Amino acid sequence: MKEKENNTRRNLLKGLGLGTMAGMLGMYPKAKAATEKEKPAYLNGLPPLKITNVKAIGLAPSGSNLIVIKVETSEPGLYGLGCATFTQRAFAVITAIEKYLKEFCVGKDVDNIEDMWQAAFVSSYWRNGPVLNNAISGLDQALWDIKGKRANMPVYQLLGGKCRFAIPCYTHASGNTPEEAANQVSSYMEEGYRYVRIQQGGYGGAGISGEPDFKKQGFARDTDQYMDQGKYRKDVPKLFETVRRQCGEEVELLHDIHERLDPIDAINVVKSVEPYHPFFIEDPFSPEQMEWFKQLRNATTVPLAMGELFNNINEFKEPMTNRLFDYIRIHISQIGGITPAMKVARLGEFYGIKTAWHGPGDVSPVGHAANAHIDLAIWNFGIQEAARISDLSREIFPGSPTMKDGYMWVNEVPGLGVDINEKLAAKYPMHTNSRWTVRKFDGTIIRP
């Protein structure tokens, strides 16, 4: 009897074991499916992605020629935008993009930004020209835009995240007299700006100096501008004195010489405004006259900004390591995009040099966004030129950065945050007009 009970118990346990195992086997596919479903997305990785097309979009909605590169990918609907604007030679950049850059890019891995930049930089053998650099810059920004969209993050997050909640900016005040400029500074202060660049007339006082002899003699073109260098040298300290007297000490004042003086005269002008403690003086010398910076450094303690005319990233190395200027004046589409700009910014951190990216009206909203994403992410940020984007441009470029209380804010979406309405953009074609010729009274060309 006892042996019979033991056999029954063994059979029961055996049956239970087989049933349990069968149940487990039956449940296993479901358990595996549940595990796969619950696995974090980052463990799945990103599928390979190729460039399928590169196109140039040229437009001039507010007067200046703008160029945007659109990089399309093998994932339907996923593309990136970058600013390739070289407003004075816009059609040459369009050709570089459509005839050369497209063939270079199609079929390449969209994720390998550094490799793509290095390859593009040397692919023409001769390098560092503004036309090809602008094309490379547009490509580079577009690839960062795609990478942000792929990662579902704004680009600044990929660069290290925010170092500040928004981006302090300076705007531009001008007038035919110091009093007019001071009145404009006051109005900007009421809008919340703490930093204002002041000019009298155009750069170097162009446009307010009367009719020059070269025009009376029919020399050069009617559209060529005239600058009275002697008058400008005398006007600058008067301008600073008037603005300080009317607007006080709270506002930070900037000024741009724009390389329009002989080096020794530029040194004297910078020294003359030292009592009004400028935030910085921009571009005292042309890139061809960099040796003068050592003498300027010995002559004054006024902070200096330089670099918007540099083509080659390596042009920043020597003056920065010798601390010859205080603010890095990079033009993102001139230097080659986000990738090289970040390298220069990081170099500046080691030498106590801050950033002041170039952000004029001949930068597209995509380019302003690229400036802003770097500005948010770097510790050694100094100041940013304000993005004064027209209502029409905002309609063409949805998601453009916005200005409020003297700060620039980005669109907090993946990528650079800016899109383009190509149909609307096509209604505002580019032109070939360029008015960058400035002359002395006798007709001699003034650089830049």
Side-chain angles (χ1 to χ4, degrees), residues 33-350:
T35 301
E36 286 182 347
K37 184 177 181 181
E38 294 169 3
K39 186 169 64 174
Y42 71 86
L43 291 178
N44 294 325
L46 292 172
L49 205 58
K50 301 294 183 182
I51 296 174
T52 58
N53 191 31
V54 176
K55 63 186 291 189
I57 304 169
L59 66 160
S62 301
S64 296
N65 291 327
L66 305 176
I67 304 169
V68 171
I69 282 184
K70 183 177 184 181
V71 175
E72 299 171 343
T73 74
S74 53
E75 181 177 322
L78 178 58
Y79 58 85
L81 300 178
C83 182
T85 299
F86 181 10
T87 194
Q88 290 85 8
R89 298 293 183 267
F91 289 97
V93 178
I94 294 285
T95 300
I97 294 166
E98 295 184 342
K99 301 299 183 182
Y100 301 102
L101 195 63
K102 177 180 177 179
E103 181 183 18
F104 170 82
C105 290
V106 169
K108 286 187 167 64
D109 190 326
V110 77
D111 283 325
N112 297 334
I113 298 177
E114 178 70 25
D115 178 74
M116 189 87 72
W117 193 94
Q118 296 290 347
F121 186 64
V122 299
S123 65
S124 62
Y125 186 52
W126 283 280
R127 46 195 179 265
N128 302 320
V131 171
L132 292 178
N133 271 20
N134 275 268
I136 293 170
S137 180
L139 169 65
D140 182 80
Q141 292 173 46
L143 294 177
W144 279 103
D145 189 27
I146 292 168
K147 191 174 287 289
K149 291 172 180 175
R150 292 250 279 167
N152 199 31
M153 291 180 177
V155 167
Y156 70 75
Q157 293 287 12
L158 303 180
L159 301 178
K162 285 185 177 180
C163 287
R164 52 201 51 85
F165 67 87
I167 303 148
C169 293
Y170 73 85
T171 192
H172 308 149
S174 185
N176 291 335
T177 66
E179 291 75 19
E180 287 182 6
N183 290 337
Q184 200 168 95
V185 171
S186 296
S187 68
Y188 284 133
M189 292 173 68
E190 292 174 1
E191 292 180 22
Y193 283 95
R194 296 178 173 87
Y195 307 82
V196 182
R197 193 183 77 181
I198 54 174
Q199 309 288 146
Q200 188 172 335
Y203 293 120
I208 61 171
S209 301
E211 186 178 12
D213 292 343
F214 77 80
K215 289 199 173 184
K216 295 176 185 178
Q217 296 296 322
F219 185 80
R221 301 174 62 176
D222 290 340
T223 56
D224 290 354
Q225 299 180 64
Y226 166 51
M227 173 185 171
D228 185 335
Q229 291 174 309
K231 182 178 186 302
Y232 170 68
R233 292 196 303 268
K234 298 170 186 175
D235 284 346
V236 173
K238 294 177 183 178
L239 173 65
F240 269 88
E241 192 277 331
T242 301
V243 175
R244 275 283 176 241
R245 185 177 65 248
Q246 178 171 323
C247 302
E249 300 291 331
E250 296 300 317
V251 62
E252 297 281 4
L253 300 178
L254 303 77
H255 180 73
D256 187 2
I257 292 177
H258 220 266
E259 308 101 358
R260 293 191 175 185
L261 290 175
D262 293 335
I264 198 67
D265 291 329
I267 292 174
N268 286 323
V269 167
V270 175
K271 288 171 60 179
S272 74
V273 300
E274 188 169 316
Y276 310 106
H277 44 271
F279 184 76
F280 67 57
I281 299 297
E282 179 183 344
D283 289 349
F285 312 124
S286 68
E288 298 87 354
Q289 300 290 350
M290 289 299 295
E291 294 84 359
W292 283 89
F293 265 99
K294 292 180 182 179
Q295 186 167 337
L296 179 56
R297 271 300 203 209
N298 291 331
T300 181
T301 58
V302 171
L304 306 169
M306 185 65 188
E308 72 182 58
L309 280 180
F310 289 173
N311 277 311
N312 186 342
I313 183 174
N314 295 293
E315 289 178 83
F316 285 95
K317 182 174 58 177
E318 184 175 353
M320 287 176 64
T321 55
N322 287 291
R323 298 176 174 87
L324 296 184
F325 54 77
D326 307 275
Y327 290 90
I328 306 162
R329 194 81 175 117
I330 274 183
H331 188 85
I332 300 296
S333 64
Q334 177 81 343
I335 207 65
I338 293 172
T339 296
M342 284 294 296
K343 294 176 182 179
V344 178
R346 299 302 192 203
L347 177 64
E349 183 174 339
F350 288 97

Side-chain angles (χ1 to χ4, degrees), residues 359-382:
D362 54 353
V363 167
S364 76
V366 180
H368 286 300
N371 284 340
H373 281 268
I374 301 176
D375 291 335
L376 287 170
I378 55 176
W379 173 80
N380 57 319
F381 167 81

